[in-house]
Amino acid sequence: MAAGVVFLVGFLQIEVMNKNIFSIICFCMILITGCAQSASRKVVNEQVPEAKEDLIVIGFSQVGAESDWRKENSESMRSTFTRDKGYELIFEDAQQKQQNQITAIRTFIQREVDYIVLAPVTEDGWDTVLGEAKDAGIPVIIVDRMVNVDDDSLFTCWVGSDFKLESRKACAWLKSYLERQHMDPGDVNIVDIQGTIGSSAQIGRTTGLRDAVIENGWRLLDAVPGEYTQAKGREAAARMLEKYDNINVVYCENDNEAFGAIEALEAAGKKAGGNIRGGEVLVMSFDGVSRQALENLRNGSISCIGECNPLHGPRVKKIIENLEAGQTPDKYEYVEEDVFSGYERITEVTVDGTSYPVKIMGK
Ligand code: GZL
């Protein structure tokens, strides 16, 4: 037993024999305080991060937290780049403002991070700040949406979705469904609740619908921004329902907008569903990441969802591991995605001769 402890125990024995209660209380107080201090020192020591040089430091500029998809995407990055796996993740939420992302990137450059990961809110306006990152010798990985730059050496590589293909698959499903309902194409009246204007996802999903409208002879009544949020989706759909009395398809560019559109339909005394001939309004969307989206597919209030996979953390980690090993990653990495529906009779769609499975979400 350490000498110090022997002393303390001996002191305590004497005090107990002399029945000096006050001394015993004081002694116990000192003991408790001392232990607590040593424990807190110990806890602080345990919390002290390893030496910075051991960690790969990543500066991640995220769009915001506008949708379920975005939250899943952020969680994928946070759970992938942890200290115990050898990373320090500096996570900056831009609240859907490009200027905040530009500021974040400049901060990452000042902090001399090892990698910059950017999920760009919109495609344009990145040449200058990505040029600064390049001059600083910091590799930039673009995730999710694309950047539109004059010199593609301003970023090392990109990983994300083919948004136009997502739309073409969803519209192929719509075509197949409408044919089964024996709908005359000229009677199909669609409104498009768009995503953040200027983002790759919005550009791809809007363009895909417009092409399908022309190919199939449908009518596109209007296209209005819904900014990928439930609140804006509800407002946009409500405005459309006031403006048009013949809408039978609401094409939402993400699930949260669709949740809002369903609220607007119900508020207008209409029903979201696939029985268009019976007066229901068919709602379709993109993402398919939340429990609510799955439930809406099961109860038929959303008829079809173009999958958009948010789990980019492991993909970015693989890219960084390759770069650390001196390898050159593919410049563009597209994520495989399907179509989800609750309607059992359509089990695949074909786009440009390629067949894609439709995942049926059982009741
Ligand atoms: C798509 C992504 C979009 C999602 C929305 O990859 O950029 O942004 O579809 C999200 O839910 O807000």
Side-chain angles (χ1 to χ4, degrees):
M1 191 183 286
V5 173
V6 171
F7 167 75
L8 292 175
V9 170
F11 168 78
L12 192 58
Q13 280 167 342
I14 293 164
E15 293 311 298
V16 166
M17 282 183 318
N18 295 341
K19 294 186 179 47
N20 288 345
I21 299 301
F22 176 70
S23 309
I24 292 168
I25 290 169
C26 290
F27 167 76
C28 292
M29 293 299 289
I30 293 164
L31 196 63
I32 289 165
T33 312
C35 290
Q37 278 172 350
S38 65
S40 65
R41 271 198 301 282
K42 186 174 175 303
V43 168
V44 166
N45 292 339
E46 273 179 355
Q47 285 174 337
V48 169
E50 305 85 56
K52 285 264 190 278
E53 60 276 9
D54 297 342
L55 300 174
I56 295 176
V57 183
I58 298 168
F60 175 42
S61 173
Q62 176 61 294
V63 167
E66 73 282 359
S67 63
D68 298 334
W69 186 97
R70 190 64 55 193
K71 290 163 193 162
E72 287 294 324
N73 181 250
S74 293
E75 177 48 33
S76 176
M77 291 293 288
R78 284 196 171 106
S79 60
T80 298
F81 295 108
T82 56
R83 283 180 177 281
D84 64 315
K85 292 174 191 159
Y87 298 93
E88 180 185 350
L89 182 69
I90 307 169
F91 184 106
E92 292 290 345
D93 174 338
Q95 293 167 350
Q96 295 216 78
K97 293 181 178 64
Q98 179 174 41
Q99 188 50 52
N100 291 345
Q101 294 199 287
I102 291 170
T103 303
I105 291 170
R106 288 182 170 141
T107 304
F108 299 151
I109 293 169
Q110 284 167 354
R111 293 181 63 169
E112 298 179 343
V113 299
D114 298 304
Y115 295 92
I116 290 172
V117 179
L118 169 65
V121 59
T122 49
E123 291 196 342
D124 297 327
W126 302 103
D127 298 77
T128 302
V129 73
L130 294 186
E132 293 166 19
K134 183 178 180 182
D135 293 345
I138 301 175
V140 175
I141 298 165
I142 308 294
V143 292
D144 180 24
R145 305 171 187 175
M146 187 68 80
V147 294
N148 178 22
V149 290
D150 295 337
D151 171 9
D152 73 0
S153 73
L154 291 179
F155 61 94
T156 300
C157 59
W158 168 87
V159 55
S161 302
D162 181 335
F163 301 110
K164 185 162 181 189
L165 179 58
E166 286 178 354
S167 175
R168 299 192 65 196
K169 288 190 267 187
C171 289
W173 182 93
L174 180 62
K175 177 178 188 290
S176 187
Y177 181 81
L178 293 169
E179 286 168 351
R180 279 166 172 70
Q181 303 301 310
H182 307 295
M183 283 290 292
D184 181 327
D187 294 338
V188 179
N189 303 311
I190 303 171
V191 290
D192 178 3
I193 312 291
Q194 298 174 291
T196 301
I197 301 299
S199 68
S200 309
Q202 176 270 315
I203 293 167
R205 292 169 187 167
T206 295
T207 308
L209 174 64
R210 292 213 170 119
D211 291 352
V213 164
I214 294 166
E215 283 164 25
N216 297 298
W218 302 330
R219 277 204 293 175
L220 179 59
L221 298 174
D222 217 326
V224 285
E227 297 178 29
Y228 291 129
T229 69
Q230 183 164 339
K232 291 290 185 189
R234 183 175 59 245
E235 284 170 26
R239 270 203 321 274
M240 293 296 98
L241 288 164
E242 283 165 15
K243 190 173 176 184
Y244 303 97
D245 62 3
N246 58 345
I247 298 170
N248 45 31
V249 175
V250 179
Y251 174 97
C252 299
E253 295 190 5
N254 87 327
D255 292 339
N256 297 85
E257 291 177 349
F259 302 156
I262 290 165
E263 289 173 332
L265 284 164
E266 288 165 354
K270 293 179 178 285
K271 186 172 185 296
N275 180 9
I276 296 176
R277 286 185 168 287
E280 292 181 352
V281 179
L282 185 146
V283 175
M284 58 195 288
S285 72
F286 295 88
D287 291 345
V289 300
S290 69
R291 197 183 301 275
Q292 183 174 345
L294 224 51
E295 180 48 39
N296 287 125
L297 283 175
R298 288 199 175 106
N299 66 32
S301 54
I302 296 180
S303 296
C304 166
I305 295 179
E307 181 189 10
C308 185
N309 189 302
L311 307 180
H312 292 329
R315 298 177 181 119
V316 175
K317 181 167 177 284
K318 188 85 189 110
I319 288 169
I320 289 176
E321 287 169 347
N322 288 345
L323 290 167
E324 288 288 299
Q327 294 164 20
T328 305
D330 293 340
K331 189 74 176 179
Y332 300 95
E333 180 185 341
Y334 286 94
V335 176
E336 295 289 316
E337 295 167 332
D338 292 319
V339 176
F340 302 137
S341 177
Y343 180 71
E344 293 93 342
R345 292 193 207 138
I346 301 173
T347 56
E348 63 177 7
V349 293
T350 302
V351 175
D352 290 340
T354 302
S355 174
Y356 298 91
V358 175
K359 285 185 179 165
I360 306 301
M361 298 298 155
K363 300 290 178 206

